[in-house]
Amino acid sequence: MGLFCWTGRFALCLQLVLGTALSDLPACSESDYHYEYTECESTGSRWRVAVPNIEKQCVGLPDPVKGKDCTFSCDSGQFLEIKSQSCTQCAAGTYSLGTGIKFDEWDEMPSGFSNVATFMETTADFSGNRPDSCDNSSWVPRGNYIESNRDDCTVSLIYAVHLKKAGSVSFEYQYLDNNIFFEFFIQNDQCQETSSSSDKWVKLSENSEWMEHSVSLKSGTNILYWRTTGILLGSKVVKPVMIKNITIEGVAYTSECFPCKPGTYSDKPGSSFCKICPRNMYSDKGAKECSKCNLETQYSDEGASKCLTRPPCSEKDMFQIHTACDNEGKTQIMYKWIEPKICREDVSGAMNLPASGKKEDCPPCNPGFYSNGTSTCSPCPFGTFSDGIQECKPCAAGTEPVLGFEYKWWNVLPANMKTSCFNVGNSKCDGMNGWEVAGDHVQSGTGGSDNDYLLLNLHIPGFKPPTSGANGAEIGRITFVFETICSADCVLYFMADVNRKTTSVVESWGGNREKQSYTHIVSKNATYMFTWAFQRTNQAQDSRRYVNDVVKIYSITATNVMDGVSSSCRVCAMGSPQFGSSCVPCPAGHYIEKERSSCKECPPNTYLSPHQVNGKEACIPCGPASRNNKDHSACYNDCNFSYMHENQSLMYNFHNLSSVATLINGPSFTSKGTKYFHLFNISLCGNEGAKMAMCTDNITDVTTKEMEAEAEDVSNYVKTFVCQSTIIPSDSKGFRTALASQSVSLADAFLGNTDVKLHITGLHTALN
């Protein structure tokens, strides 16, 4: 038989349970019990009851009293003192959100969070081997943030919270690698998702920055899921998802204030947040103020929990720069300490800063610029050109300037370029220059630590193709010459941001790389931000060990740039006599006849080269059994083919490939059991040579109709003759809808057909 002891009859009940005489029990003091609230009733009310502390036996507990209603809350900087049932200010050294909780310390997994890793256990490869386990896959605390898994397991970070009223959850994240699918969704106490499938996919981070994601919460129990799945297929996740500062608003009240985490403080009662300790200061947990480091021997970064010993100065703590050119055409080499300076010059073995002021001849201006006897280089006026050494001259009659940018001398950073330093885990390098000019090249700087991202940005407002009949896919290109010198696992990333949307990695290079050139073709007239990001190592380091690991870029050339400058002129088509020497655009499919400077249509069955528009040789013959389209921009086949065999004329009809045909092979499985298919969209002949096959990333319907309805965003689709996407079906990894990823073009240009074999350049994957 069980006994229920209501507080008002607690003494009698205690006597029945313990068999102890009431006269033998002491009277309860305030230290013998604490207060708790009962569960909320259907009317929204509850009771405050006194509960004995563990192993305490006493009599005379206070009677229950009516408690605050279930929706009651305190303001930020306050907590609910249950004894008095009133809101009380937080003491200095602590803070409160009032109706919220915040997770900003990730030295270990906070209480209430759990990890669940899954893979398809029923899957085996053709040899009968079981896939690798996901037991070791999880979200990992990294101090200031939490980091997702890097493999192709599905890992969910789960937290459950009960809200008495509607609220919200917000968190900061960095999500750079689209080889990971990153979802955030919520289930309520009826196990129903509260967000639509289109809302739960988290957007990629812009320009490597921390972004914020916020979702509304309903009253009741909400289960929060942060879920990542790597889609590797032989590749490697470079950058995991990182999350910090998870804030949940909508709890009814908080019964205590949170202590400030190490490296922060609150110096006044009633704080709703903690301030960050400045450089060269530190604090312990729950600090009311920051303590100073001994500046002679110690230093600290912002938000530090301890002071570090200053090391002896070495070449790793200094860098050199070139001053701007003076009126004599000279530049000075200046040596500076890396700021903030953390090293000591007054200890044994320390280096001193070399003498500055040595003069050298300034490099010439970059092509398209001129000095005009001043210490700075200015762009040539429109219609003129210069090699950077001579004065700007007007283009001759019958010619036009070749617009673009060619940077090969680096005395100062060009006006449309900027440099910065970024670190996902701390702010050591905030405000530092990520790259430094060095005369004949620009190179990565020192940064604050070895795992900083050193960023160099080039802004291109748009592209302007030349005044010609070229109508190819290329409207411009960017070419750069570089080399990397590395002793660790350095990586150089080349990225592109189209129309200030999502930054995507175009190409990357790891380790030592000899001097080489790379060209990126631009096929869409849009605003671009090209970024070179260099990281010496992805392992966090307390000291700069690999400061001598650098990347050097010797030249950057961008063609057909809007608002560009000119280093040369080219032949153009002349207008009618009354317009003098003005150049005029040729109609589509027309080349410029050199002798007469006039436009002339390309011959039948040829297409106009997008690179060359002068002379008949600019018209390239179409391949066998193919013809040109109306504007001579491409060649195509009408899907009919005739072939003579043993005196018989054989006719073949490929009209099923005239629009878009779809082929899916598989299934295949990754080492962790993720099922995937390869989807091929094929459009070999059709709309007069137009590239109609389209493959899109991150979609929920893999049909061609849905893909064509997507917005024009070159960052998430490819359009070509043959393309391939990796399809993750809805029954794999718990996805409720099919997903497409890693879309690539397999066929770039139509060359013709012979012997019933279609020749397409770039087609390198067999369609099994």
Side-chain angles (χ1 to χ4, degrees), residues 516-537:
Q516 58 188 274
S517 175
Y518 177 79
T519 297
H520 173 64
I521 303 298
V522 177
S523 58
K524 181 181 178 64
N525 191 4
T527 298
Y528 283 81
M529 178 68 80
F530 295 106
T531 300
W532 292 264
F534 181 68
Q535 187 183 41
R536 293 184 173 90
T537 177

PDB file of all heavy atoms in Angstrom, residues 516-537:
ATOM      1  N   GLN A 516      51.639  27.958 -61.604  1.00  0.00           N
ATOM      2  CA  GLN A 516      50.710  27.475 -62.623  1.00  0.00           C
ATOM      3  C   GLN A 516      49.613  28.493 -62.853  1.00  0.00           C
ATOM      4  O   GLN A 516      49.429  29.417 -62.066  1.00  0.00           O
ATOM      5  CB  GLN A 516      50.099  26.139 -62.209  1.00  0.00           C
ATOM      6  CG  GLN A 516      49.360  26.184 -60.884  1.00  0.00           C
ATOM      7  CD  GLN A 516      48.946  24.817 -60.411  1.00  0.00           C
ATOM      8  OE1 GLN A 516      47.890  24.310 -60.795  1.00  0.00           O
ATOM      9  NE2 GLN A 516      49.793  24.197 -59.575  1.00  0.00           N
ATOM     10  N   SER A 517      48.861  28.276 -63.948  1.00  0.00           N
ATOM     11  CA  SER A 517      47.782  29.188 -64.325  1.00  0.00           C
ATOM     12  C   SER A 517      46.450  28.458 -64.252  1.00  0.00           C
ATOM     13  O   SER A 517      46.368  27.256 -64.530  1.00  0.00           O
ATOM     14  CB  SER A 517      48.007  29.710 -65.750  1.00  0.00           C
ATOM     15  OG  SER A 517      46.921  30.508 -66.178  1.00  0.00           O
ATOM     16  N   TYR A 518      45.420  29.197 -63.862  1.00  0.00           N
ATOM     17  CA  TYR A 518      44.069  28.636 -63.811  1.00  0.00           C
ATOM     18  C   TYR A 518      43.106  29.640 -64.437  1.00  0.00           C
ATOM     19  O   TYR A 518      43.209  30.848 -64.197  1.00  0.00           O
ATOM     20  CB  TYR A 518      43.635  28.342 -62.375  1.00  0.00           C
ATOM     21  CG  TYR A 518      42.215  27.836 -62.278  1.00  0.00           C
ATOM     22  CD1 TYR A 518      41.901  26.514 -62.570  1.00  0.00           C
ATOM     23  CD2 TYR A 518      41.173  28.689 -61.916  1.00  0.00           C
ATOM     24  CE1 TYR A 518      40.598  26.044 -62.498  1.00  0.00           C
ATOM     25  CE2 TYR A 518      39.866  28.233 -61.834  1.00  0.00           C
ATOM     26  CZ  TYR A 518      39.584  26.909 -62.126  1.00  0.00           C
ATOM     27  OH  TYR A 518      38.286  26.453 -62.059  1.00  0.00           O
ATOM     28  N   THR A 519      42.167  29.131 -65.258  1.00  0.00           N
ATOM     29  CA  THR A 519      41.185  29.990 -65.936  1.00  0.00           C
ATOM     30  C   THR A 519      39.775  29.540 -65.601  1.00  0.00           C
ATOM     31  O   THR A 519      39.466  28.340 -65.649  1.00  0.00           O
ATOM     32  CB  THR A 519      41.376  29.948 -67.457  1.00  0.00           C
ATOM     33  OG1 THR A 519      42.673  30.475 -67.780  1.00  0.00           O
ATOM     34  CG2 THR A 519      40.313  30.792 -68.163  1.00  0.00           C
ATOM     35  N   HIS A 520      38.924  30.503 -65.250  1.00  0.00           N
ATOM     36  CA  HIS A 520      37.512  30.246 -64.975  1.00  0.00           C
ATOM     37  C   HIS A 520      36.676  30.982 -66.016  1.00  0.00           C
ATOM     38  O   HIS A 520      36.823  32.190 -66.209  1.00  0.00           O
ATOM     39  CB  HIS A 520      37.149  30.719 -63.567  1.00  0.00           C
ATOM     40  CG  HIS A 520      35.687  30.655 -63.256  1.00  0.00           C
ATOM     41  ND1 HIS A 520      34.979  29.466 -63.209  1.00  0.00           N
ATOM     42  CD2 HIS A 520      34.777  31.646 -62.991  1.00  0.00           C
ATOM     43  CE1 HIS A 520      33.722  29.724 -62.919  1.00  0.00           C
ATOM     44  NE2 HIS A 520      33.571  31.031 -62.783  1.00  0.00           N
ATOM     45  N   ILE A 521      35.796  30.247 -66.716  1.00  0.00           N
ATOM     46  CA  ILE A 521      34.947  30.825 -67.757  1.00  0.00           C
ATOM     47  C   ILE A 521      33.677  31.392 -67.130  1.00  0.00           C
ATOM     48  O   ILE A 521      33.020  30.732 -66.314  1.00  0.00           O
ATOM     49  CB  ILE A 521      34.578  29.771 -68.814  1.00  0.00           C
ATOM     50  CG1 ILE A 521      35.846  29.152 -69.424  1.00  0.00           C
ATOM     51  CG2 ILE A 521      33.709  30.385 -69.902  1.00  0.00           C
ATOM     52  CD1 ILE A 521      36.725  30.143 -70.139  1.00  0.00           C
ATOM     53  N   VAL A 522      33.324  32.609 -67.501  1.00  0.00           N
ATOM     54  CA  VAL A 522      32.096  33.257 -67.033  1.00  0.00           C
ATOM     55  C   VAL A 522      31.074  33.221 -68.158  1.00  0.00           C
ATOM     56  O   VAL A 522      31.344  33.695 -69.265  1.00  0.00           O
ATOM     57  CB  VAL A 522      32.367  34.714 -66.608  1.00  0.00           C
ATOM     58  CG1 VAL A 522      31.073  35.399 -66.197  1.00  0.00           C
ATOM     59  CG2 VAL A 522      33.381  34.754 -65.479  1.00  0.00           C
ATOM     60  N   SER A 523      29.906  32.637 -67.889  1.00  0.00           N
ATOM     61  CA  SER A 523      28.881  32.492 -68.923  1.00  0.00           C
ATOM     62  C   SER A 523      27.612  33.271 -68.607  1.00  0.00           C
ATOM     63  O   SER A 523      26.664  33.225 -69.381  1.00  0.00           O
ATOM     64  CB  SER A 523      28.539  31.006 -69.109  1.00  0.00           C
ATOM     65  OG  SER A 523      28.096  30.437 -67.893  1.00  0.00           O
ATOM     66  N   LYS A 524      27.568  33.965 -67.482  1.00  0.00           N
ATOM     67  CA  LYS A 524      26.375  34.726 -67.112  1.00  0.00           C
ATOM     68  C   LYS A 524      26.779  36.149 -66.772  1.00  0.00           C
ATOM     69  O   LYS A 524      27.706  36.363 -65.990  1.00  0.00           O
ATOM     70  CB  LYS A 524      25.689  34.080 -65.902  1.00  0.00           C
ATOM     71  CG  LYS A 524      24.418  34.784 -65.442  1.00  0.00           C
ATOM     72  CD  LYS A 524      23.833  34.081 -64.233  1.00  0.00           C
ATOM     73  CE  LYS A 524      22.588  34.796 -63.714  1.00  0.00           C
ATOM     74  NZ  LYS A 524      21.482  34.783 -64.670  1.00  0.00           N
ATOM     75  N   ASN A 525      26.106  37.116 -67.352  1.00  0.00           N
ATOM     76  CA  ASN A 525      26.411  38.511 -67.061  1.00  0.00           C
ATOM     77  C   ASN A 525      25.762  38.884 -65.738  1.00  0.00           C
ATOM     78  O   ASN A 525      24.548  39.073 -65.645  1.00  0.00           O
ATOM     79  CB  ASN A 525      25.909  39.419 -68.180  1.00  0.00           C
ATOM     80  CG  ASN A 525      26.437  40.837 -68.035  1.00  0.00           C
ATOM     81  OD1 ASN A 525      27.235  41.117 -67.143  1.00  0.00           O
ATOM     82  ND2 ASN A 525      26.016  41.722 -68.907  1.00  0.00           N
ATOM     83  N   ALA A 526      26.561  38.951 -64.712  1.00  0.00           N
ATOM     84  CA  ALA A 526      26.065  39.225 -63.370  1.00  0.00           C
ATOM     85  C   ALA A 526      27.175  39.921 -62.585  1.00  0.00           C
ATOM     86  O   ALA A 526      28.297  40.078 -63.057  1.00  0.00           O
ATOM     87  CB  ALA A 526      25.647  37.919 -62.680  1.00  0.00           C
ATOM     88  N   THR A 527      26.828  40.351 -61.375  1.00  0.00           N
ATOM     89  CA  THR A 527      27.831  40.914 -60.471  1.00  0.00           C
ATOM     90  C   THR A 527      28.534  39.771 -59.743  1.00  0.00           C
ATOM     91  O   THR A 527      27.875  38.898 -59.177  1.00  0.00           O
ATOM     92  CB  THR A 527      27.167  41.847 -59.444  1.00  0.00           C
ATOM     93  OG1 THR A 527      26.548  42.933 -60.136  1.00  0.00           O
ATOM     94  CG2 THR A 527      28.194  42.405 -58.472  1.00  0.00           C
ATOM     95  N   TYR A 528      29.862  39.799 -59.772  1.00  0.00           N
ATOM     96  CA  TYR A 528      30.636  38.715 -59.172  1.00  0.00           C
ATOM     97  C   TYR A 528      31.548  39.258 -58.070  1.00  0.00           C
ATOM     98  O   TYR A 528      32.065  40.373 -58.166  1.00  0.00           O
ATOM     99  CB  TYR A 528      31.517  38.016 -60.213  1.00  0.00           C
ATOM    100  CG  TYR A 528      30.782  37.054 -61.127  1.00  0.00           C
ATOM    101  CD1 TYR A 528      30.081  37.518 -62.236  1.00  0.00           C
ATOM    102  CD2 TYR A 528      30.795  35.684 -60.878  1.00  0.00           C
ATOM    103  CE1 TYR A 528      29.413  36.644 -63.080  1.00  0.00           C
ATOM    104  CE2 TYR A 528      30.136  34.804 -61.715  1.00  0.00           C
ATOM    105  CZ  TYR A 528      29.443  35.280 -62.814  1.00  0.00           C
ATOM    106  OH  TYR A 528      28.786  34.407 -63.644  1.00  0.00           O
ATOM    107  N   MET A 529      31.716  38.438 -57.040  1.00  0.00           N
ATOM    108  CA  MET A 529      32.770  38.647 -56.058  1.00  0.00           C
ATOM    109  C   MET A 529      33.617  37.376 -56.050  1.00  0.00           C
ATOM    110  O   MET A 529      33.175  36.321 -55.594  1.00  0.00           O
ATOM    111  CB  MET A 529      32.207  38.906 -54.661  1.00  0.00           C
ATOM    112  CG  MET A 529      33.287  39.083 -53.583  1.00  0.00           C
ATOM    113  SD  MET A 529      34.247  40.592 -53.772  1.00  0.00           S
ATOM    114  CE  MET A 529      33.097  41.772 -53.034  1.00  0.00           C
ATOM    115  N   PHE A 530      34.820  37.488 -56.623  1.00  0.00           N
ATOM    116  CA  PHE A 530      35.735  36.355 -56.631  1.00  0.00           C
ATOM    117  C   PHE A 530      36.603  36.434 -55.376  1.00  0.00           C
ATOM    118  O   PHE A 530      37.078  37.510 -54.999  1.00  0.00           O
ATOM    119  CB  PHE A 530      36.598  36.369 -57.883  1.00  0.00           C
ATOM    120  CG  PHE A 530      35.825  36.177 -59.163  1.00  0.00           C
ATOM    121  CD1 PHE A 530      35.600  37.239 -60.018  1.00  0.00           C
ATOM    122  CD2 PHE A 530      35.309  34.934 -59.489  1.00  0.00           C
ATOM    123  CE1 PHE A 530      34.883  37.077 -61.193  1.00  0.00           C
ATOM    124  CE2 PHE A 530      34.586  34.754 -60.664  1.00  0.00           C
ATOM    125  CZ  PHE A 530      34.377  35.822 -61.520  1.00  0.00           C
ATOM    126  N   THR A 531      36.807  35.297 -54.735  1.00  0.00           N
ATOM    127  CA  THR A 531      37.547  35.260 -53.477  1.00  0.00           C
ATOM    128  C   THR A 531      38.606  34.169 -53.518  1.00  0.00           C
ATOM    129  O   THR A 531      38.326  33.036 -53.934  1.00  0.00           O
ATOM    130  CB  THR A 531      36.598  34.998 -52.288  1.00  0.00           C
ATOM    131  OG1 THR A 531      35.624  36.043 -52.220  1.00  0.00           O
ATOM    132  CG2 THR A 531      37.364  34.956 -50.975  1.00  0.00           C
ATOM    133  N   TRP A 532      39.817  34.552 -53.092  1.00  0.00           N
ATOM    134  CA  TRP A 532      40.882  33.583 -52.854  1.00  0.00           C
ATOM    135  C   TRP A 532      41.031  33.461 -51.340  1.00  0.00           C
ATOM    136  O   TRP A 532      41.300  34.456 -50.650  1.00  0.00           O
ATOM    137  CB  TRP A 532      42.197  34.045 -53.481  1.00  0.00           C
ATOM    138  CG  TRP A 532      42.179  34.062 -54.984  1.00  0.00           C
ATOM    139  CD1 TRP A 532      42.626  33.093 -55.829  1.00  0.00           C
ATOM    140  CD2 TRP A 532      41.690  35.123 -55.826  1.00  0.00           C
ATOM    141  NE1 TRP A 532      42.453  33.466 -57.142  1.00  0.00           N
ATOM    142  CE2 TRP A 532      41.873  34.708 -57.175  1.00  0.00           C
ATOM    143  CE3 TRP A 532      41.121  36.368 -55.580  1.00  0.00           C
ATOM    144  CZ2 TRP A 532      41.506  35.510 -58.244  1.00  0.00           C
ATOM    145  CZ3 TRP A 532      40.739  37.159 -56.648  1.00  0.00           C
ATOM    146  CH2 TRP A 532      40.930  36.727 -57.964  1.00  0.00           C
ATOM    147  N   ALA A 533      40.830  32.266 -50.806  1.00  0.00           N
ATOM    148  CA  ALA A 533      40.917  32.026 -49.365  1.00  0.00           C
ATOM    149  C   ALA A 533      42.024  31.004 -49.113  1.00  0.00           C
ATOM    150  O   ALA A 533      42.006  29.915 -49.679  1.00  0.00           O
ATOM    151  CB  ALA A 533      39.584  31.525 -48.810  1.00  0.00           C
ATOM    152  N   PHE A 534      42.953  31.373 -48.248  1.00  0.00           N
ATOM    153  CA  PHE A 534      44.090  30.502 -47.948  1.00  0.00           C
ATOM    154  C   PHE A 534      44.074  30.155 -46.474  1.00  0.00           C
ATOM    155  O   PHE A 534      43.929  31.028 -45.618  1.00  0.00           O
ATOM    156  CB  PHE A 534      45.403  31.201 -48.310  1.00  0.00           C
ATOM    157  CG  PHE A 534      46.636  30.366 -48.066  1.00  0.00           C
ATOM    158  CD1 PHE A 534      46.894  29.242 -48.831  1.00  0.00           C
ATOM    159  CD2 PHE A 534      47.538  30.712 -47.071  1.00  0.00           C
ATOM    160  CE1 PHE A 534      48.029  28.470 -48.613  1.00  0.00           C
ATOM    161  CE2 PHE A 534      48.671  29.954 -46.838  1.00  0.00           C
ATOM    162  CZ  PHE A 534      48.918  28.821 -47.626  1.00  0.00           C
ATOM    163  N   GLN A 535      44.214  28.854 -46.169  1.00  0.00           N
ATOM    164  CA  GLN A 535      44.285  28.391 -44.789  1.00  0.00           C
ATOM    165  C   GLN A 535      45.507  27.478 -44.653  1.00  0.00           C
ATOM    166  O   GLN A 535      45.655  26.511 -45.402  1.00  0.00           O
ATOM    167  CB  GLN A 535      43.020  27.643 -44.386  1.00  0.00           C
ATOM    168  CG  GLN A 535      42.971  27.293 -42.906  1.00  0.00           C
ATOM    169  CD  GLN A 535      41.735  26.486 -42.524  1.00  0.00           C
ATOM    170  OE1 GLN A 535      41.322  25.590 -43.248  1.00  0.00           O
ATOM    171  NE2 GLN A 535      41.139  26.807 -41.387  1.00  0.00           N
ATOM    172  N   ARG A 536      46.364  27.792 -43.696  1.00  0.00           N
ATOM    173  CA  ARG A 536      47.601  27.008 -43.537  1.00  0.00           C
ATOM    174  C   ARG A 536      47.324  25.606 -43.013  1.00  0.00           C
ATOM    175  O   ARG A 536      47.967  24.647 -43.409  1.00  0.00           O
ATOM    176  CB  ARG A 536      48.565  27.742 -42.597  1.00  0.00           C
ATOM    177  CG  ARG A 536      49.087  29.042 -43.188  1.00  0.00           C
ATOM    178  CD  ARG A 536      50.117  29.684 -42.254  1.00  0.00           C
ATOM    179  NE  ARG A 536      50.721  30.841 -42.906  1.00  0.00           N
ATOM    180  CZ  ARG A 536      50.251  32.066 -42.830  1.00  0.00           C
ATOM    181  NH1 ARG A 536      49.157  32.299 -42.125  1.00  0.00           N
ATOM    182  NH2 ARG A 536      50.841  33.059 -43.453  1.00  0.00           N
ATOM    183  N   THR A 537      46.392  25.494 -42.094  1.00  0.00           N
ATOM    184  CA  THR A 537      45.993  24.193 -41.564  1.00  0.00           C
ATOM    185  C   THR A 537      44.606  24.333 -40.967  1.00  0.00           C
ATOM    186  O   THR A 537      44.233  25.418 -40.511  1.00  0.00           O
ATOM    187  CB  THR A 537      46.975  23.685 -40.492  1.00  0.00           C
ATOM    188  OG1 THR A 537      46.494  22.443 -39.949  1.00  0.00           O
ATOM    189  CG2 THR A 537      47.134  24.679 -39.354  1.00  0.00           C
TER     190      THR A 537
END
